[in-house]
Amino acid sequence: MKNLVLLLLIFLGSHALFGQGTDFVLLKRGTKQKSQIRFYPGEEITYKSTKIDYYVTDVIQKIDQNYIYLSENILSPESITAIDIRDKDRRNSTLRALTVLTMGAGVILIGAESINSIYHDQEFSISSGVGLASGILIGTSLALIPLRYKTFKNSGRNKIQLIQMRMD
């Protein structure tokens, strides 16, 4: 009997937790899930609006049907021209990891070659093939840095949507 009551309480508690929705700001670029970014209340958002020509960082307090209530401002999605997504976009973490990986491989390769030459020949030398390979790896990592997604511009196919998921 105790197990049945415990199971019933767990079921009702989990149903109440899953029944509550959360509001969020959806930055949508196309229909793919990978290109969608969500900002929830309590998170910081860095944006540029039509009234202010520079980026402002603010905290989302609440989301309504037509407005985003920030701690210092109230915005409509149409008044936002760009949002800084450097830390929010998942694709940036992949590009950052690839950059660090190739840079590390280039540095380790040239470091291992120089230590190996000092150990075997008692003088510092780097062979041309290893120098070329490590230079290509380091150059590739430096070329990957500007490829990261920096801003979400609210124009064209890009859309900012306010999603309310409440059980009223």
Side-chain angles (χ1 to χ4, degrees):
M1 185 67 181
K2 288 181 183 179
N3 291 338
L4 182 63
V5 171
L6 183 63
L7 186 63
L8 183 64
L9 286 174
I10 290 173
F11 176 72
L12 290 175
S14 66
H15 181 66
L17 288 176
F18 290 120
Q20 294 177 355
T22 58
D23 302 338
F24 57 90
V25 177
L26 180 69
L27 308 180
K28 192 170 183 180
R29 181 178 306 162
T31 58
K32 295 182 181 177
Q33 182 97 15
K34 287 182 181 179
S35 61
Q36 296 177 356
I37 300 171
R38 296 178 182 187
F39 286 93
Y40 293 97
E43 288 188 62
E44 280 191 351
I45 185 168
T46 303
Y47 64 93
K48 186 192 297 187
S49 69
T50 54
K51 298 174 186 173
I52 305 170
D53 199 31
Y54 53 88
Y55 283 96
V56 176
T57 301
D58 210 344
V59 177
I60 299 173
Q61 298 294 324
K62 187 174 88 167
I63 298 167
D64 198 352
Q65 284 182 335
N66 300 321
Y67 296 103
I68 304 168
Y69 296 94
L70 305 168
S71 60
E72 299 288 329
N73 201 356
I74 298 174
L75 292 174
S76 67
E78 295 83 26
S79 68
I80 298 173
T81 57
I83 295 177
D84 186 5
I85 58 170
R86 292 172 207 216
D87 297 331
K88 192 72 176 168
D89 198 350
R90 289 178 287 172
R91 298 172 292 180
N92 279 346
S93 62
T94 305
L95 286 170
R96 188 177 299 120
L98 189 60
T99 301
V100 169
L101 183 68
T102 54
M103 178 72 80
V107 168
I108 288 173
L109 183 63
I110 201 163
E113 173 67 18
S114 62
I115 290 171
N116 195 23
S117 70
I118 291 172
Y119 182 74
H120 285 291
D121 302 333
Q122 280 76 34
E123 69 178 58
F124 177 77
S125 66
I126 297 174
S127 66
S128 62
V130 171
L132 180 66
S134 66
I136 289 172
L137 285 169
I138 293 172
T140 302
S141 69
L142 293 175
L144 286 174
I145 291 173
L147 294 180
R148 295 183 189 157
Y149 298 95
K150 294 173 185 65
T151 59
F152 178 90
K153 293 190 178 14
N154 192 16
S155 63
R157 288 183 17 183
N158 300 341
K159 302 215 178 349
I160 297 176
Q161 295 177 348
L162 303 179
I163 308 292
Q164 290 184 312
M165 308 223 1
R166 291 192 204 137
M167 304 297 283
D168 290 336

